[in-house]
Amino acid sequence: MQGCNNYCSYCVVPYLRGPEESRPIRDIVEEVRKLADYGIKEVTLLGQNVNSYGQANSGRTPFSLLLRMIGQVKGIERIRFTTSHPKDLSDDLMQCFADVEALCEHIHLPVQSGSDKILKRMNRGYNREQYLDKVDRLRNIRPDISITSDVIVGFPGETDESFEATIALMRKVRFDNLFSFKYSEREGTAAVGLDGKVPEEIKRERLQYLQNLQEQHTLERNKTLEGHTEDILVEGTSKNSEHDITGRTRSNKIVNFRGRKDLIGETVPVLITKAYLHSLRGDI
Ligand code: SF4
């Protein structure tokens, strides 16, 4: 699907891509079947706001139904989707993480800010409590789920207190990874007219602080996998050593390990021996 109906106040996507448009469910399932026939094992469903898939169509085909149908395609071992909007993360969709075996235990769920005042100014359509509630529910359904997110720092009106609210939310959730950016104005968006612009120097300081904290959390989360055996879908040779091959856990973490190149394209069990910030090390 493409396009977006949300009009977050900082974002140009709805102006550039237009309103949400979803491909028919049959087309997608058929395409995935063909991919599986070619030997493809992993598919990623894409959309600016992918979990509102089907809502703009008269038939209201929910995203969870699409996931359940693709989950039954023989040969597809891994399903991923991105990007999700927290307000469209339904109970039924969350339940798929328990019911659909091929659905990988990872979700990218952009929060953008931990402050209700800023979330309102961003026109995100949820508040801090609702976001945290969805995280709790996801973890109840799938305790080992990996959660990644996006944060914008220095949005107009962001005070020290609102920034602290974002930091407190990060400490509570402990994201597996976080993509963070300094706010920058996009011409034609509603946020351009907002007061309370944050000076560049403060944005830089806040971003640095937040990224340092996230590095601690990422390493902490990666270390929980040490000593565990993970299924790795081998994607290629490692960038660092020609003797190593590389792939991802279902939770979307990179793992490097010794192995033959003919394992590329296969799924192999790998014991995680060491966790780093950006990857894991393991043994078949
Ligand atoms: S940030 Fe995402 S949800 Fe918001 S308007 Fe842009 S594409 Fe849509």
Side-chain angles (χ1 to χ4, degrees), residues 27-68:
D27 278 14
I28 302 173
V29 176
E30 199 40 47
E31 185 181 340
V32 172
R33 277 206 189 102
K34 280 188 189 144
L35 292 170
D37 288 345
Y38 288 134
I40 299 293
K41 294 180 175 167
E42 176 171 329
V43 291
T44 303
L45 302 170
L46 293 176
Q48 262 89 34
N49 182 14
V50 74
N51 52 359
S52 71
Y53 170 80
Q55 285 180 15
N57 291 352
S58 51
R60 291 188 64 87
T61 313
F63 189 53
S64 56
L65 177 62
L66 176 63
L67 288 175
R68 287 173 195 275

Side-chain angles (χ1 to χ4, degrees), residues 3-14 20 48-49 83-85 87 110 112 122-124:
C4 184
N5 297 344
N6 284 320
Y7 292 93
C8 300
S9 63
Y10 52 83
C11 180
V12 289
V13 165
E20 281 173 11
Q48 262 89 34
N49 182 14
T83 293
S84 300
H85 195 300
K87 77 175 169 50
Q112 307 300 6
M122 288 176 164
N123 193 30
R124 287 290 288 170

